Every structure is written in C-alpha cells, then in structure tokens.
Amino acid sequence: AAVWQLNDEQALVATTDFFMPIVDDPRDFGRIAATNAISDVYAMGGTPIMALAIVGMPVNVLPAETIARILAGGQSVCAEAGIPVAGGHTIDSVEPIYGLVALGLVHPKRVRRNADAQPGDVLVLGKPIGVGVLSAALKKDALPPDGYARMLATTTKLNTAGPDLAALPGVHAMTDVTGFGLAGHALEIARGAQLGVHIDWARVPLLAGVRCLAERGMVTGASGRNWAGYGADVTLPAGFADVDRALLTDPQTSGGLLVSCAPNAVDAVLGVFGRHGFDAAAVIGATTRDGAGRLAVN
C-alpha cells in the first residue's frame, strides 16, 4: 500500500487489487476479491474508510444477474468492514475482472511496514496457509465440499486485527501473506530490515487437508515460479520434501498477517489475534542478525 501523511494525526493508506475468478460462484468470487483488496490497509495498521470498485466484464457473455452477484458479494464484505463502495469504474473486457481500490486511515506513528523488523523479533502468522493448493484442487474437480468451505472461510475473513496489532508498541513490522507465499513474504521482511529470518516449519499452521492434496499433486504453477524467483535466498534442511517446499511457496489469496514483534509482545499479539477470531495464529519463527536478507527453514 501507499501511505501519505495528511497531518500530525492522520495518514492515508491507499491500495488496489483485482483479479479474474478463482471460484465458480459469482458472489463468492466477489467476496474473496474484496477481502483480498482490503487486506493491505489492515496490514499497514490502517482502518478502512471506503472503497472504489474496479470492474471489467464481458457484458455480451455474462448475464447481468451474474455480474450483479459479483458486485453484491464485494459489497457484502465492504459492509462487514464498515465501509461503503463509494464509486468505481467499469469496462467491457474479454475476461471477468473484479477488485477494489481500498482507502484507510492510520496514525502516522502506527504505520507498520514490512521493512522494520528488529533483531531477535518473533514472527507470528495469523492464518493457516494452503489456499493455493485448495484452489488447484478446485480447478481439477478434486476439492470436496468441506475443502471448499474451508477455502471460502479463510479467503473471506477480513484481517481486522491489523489496527489493534499496530497499536502494540512491541509490534515492529507487518505484512500480509499473499501471492509470493509464506517464504516470499518472510523474505521481504528479511530484505527490508537486512536481517536473517528463520522459520520453524513444524510450527507453521496448514489448512486442514492441504498436505494430502499437495501429495496428490494439487499444487499451483505459481508455487514453482515463486521458488524459481527467490529460492536462491532460501536455505532448506536436508531431506526437505518437495511437497513441503510447494507449501512453503504456496501462493495465498487473502492470506493472514505476518507480524514481527518483540519477544515480550508475543502474548499480546496472540491475544489480539484471538479476540478477532484468528484461533490458528501461531509463532512460526524469528529474526536474526546472521544471514541478512535470507530465509532459513528448519
């Protein structure tokens, strides 16, 4: 997100995100896209204030009722976030595209970037990972109804804990885990602060069923491309399984917040996550002075 300081008490957070459908149900697509778009406001510590819709639809192909359901899904998420869809823009496009410009406010001293981690910080992840695996299984008609329900539940859960986390003095850095996967966004923290990051893989929460699906080959091409893009800066333990590497780099849609905080703030961070309904939030690693700009997994 971009942040522009307005005055001594307020800074404007501005972000945008949009994509083509990742599920078949129009309303679910709208809900997922809107949740994902608003996430960066929360990740900066901001509180959303309004959204603008970005809409591209093949108007001669999709019925108006289908388009209306996509927009209604997005609007329902915005209502849950307490903000209006105050405007937007539509075009006729070959493929359906939907997303939002999301705007929020934050106190300038509570802006949380992904580059301000400190040595000895603890990393806390707010949501389990595995959305990419569930999405791949869905495309191959291999995702059971309970798996789809889990996918929908996590991708439409707003990261509302962000402002409360930013208010904690021990929280130094935040980001949300999205398309680059857990490894990629952990690397952003490492590179931004010029620190090493290590992840205890056994402590990383996974969505139920994703390991079994990944073992059956339900992984995305983006997972491999992620590894090709940044794998040279990641150290894996001997014997680390291919399926684990695929999960480590699994692209998330509307993923959880990744928080870098002082050790004495961990209980408070987990408490905030718990109050906002993120029961799977977990300590997954730490920052170190060694290995600046690199990720080590153990």
Side-chain angles (χ1 to χ4, degrees), residues 179-208:
F180 293 131
L182 177 59
H185 291 283
L187 265 174
E188 286 183 332
I189 290 176
R191 291 167 175 169
Q194 277 302 292
L195 296 172
V197 166
H198 83 255
I199 288 177
D200 184 346
W201 181 240
R203 302 182 73 174
V204 174
L206 302 178
L207 289 162

Side-chain angles (χ1 to χ4, degrees), residues 232-248:
D233 292 329
V234 180
T235 301
L236 302 177
F240 199 70
D242 288 345
V243 67
D244 289 312
R245 194 184 78 178
L247 290 167
L248 180 68

Side-chain angles (χ1 to χ4, degrees), residues 38 48-53 74-88 100-103:
I38 298 170
I49 56 171
M50 70 174 181
L52 308 173
Q75 189 161 356
S76 71
V77 165
C78 289
E80 185 180 346
I83 62 173
V85 180
L100 300 174
V101 173
L103 302 174

Side-chain angles (χ1 to χ4, degrees), residues 29-97:
F29 167 47
R31 293 175 64 206
I32 293 169
T35 308
N36 184 71
I38 298 170
S39 183
D40 276 341
V41 174
Y42 291 126
M44 302 297 292
T47 298
I49 56 171
M50 70 174 181
L52 308 173
I54 299 171
V55 185
M57 295 290 159
V59 295
N60 292 325
V61 177
L62 280 184
E65 294 79 6
T66 299
I67 298 172
R69 289 185 65 199
I70 294 171
L71 300 182
Q75 189 161 356
S76 71
V77 165
C78 289
E80 185 180 346
I83 62 173
V85 180
H89 187 64
T90 61
I91 63 168
D92 186 5
S93 66
V94 176
E95 297 285 346
I97 297 169

Side-chain angles (χ1 to χ4, degrees), residues 160-184:
T160 53
D164 287 345
L165 290 167
L168 297 174
V171 170
H172 301 138
M174 285 200 302
T175 188
D176 55 345
V177 178
T178 51
F180 293 131
L182 177 59

Side-chain angles (χ1 to χ4, degrees), residues 112-195:
R112 292 295 178 265
R113 307 187 307 158
N114 62 5
D116 296 325
Q118 297 183 15
D121 273 1
V122 174
L123 297 182
V124 183
L125 179 63
K127 288 185 184 182
I129 64 172
V131 172
V133 169
L134 297 180
S135 178
L138 179 66
K139 291 176 182 177
K140 296 177 182 179
D141 294 321
L143 186 64
D146 60 338
Y148 182 79
R150 283 191 291 273
M151 176 181 170
L152 190 62
T154 190
T155 54
T156 60
K157 184 168 180 56
L158 290 161
N159 281 319
T160 53
D164 287 345
L165 290 167
L168 297 174
V171 170
H172 301 138
M174 285 200 302
T175 188
D176 55 345
V177 178
T178 51
F180 293 131
L182 177 59
H185 291 283
L187 265 174
E188 286 183 332
I189 290 176
R191 291 167 175 169
Q194 277 302 292
L195 296 172

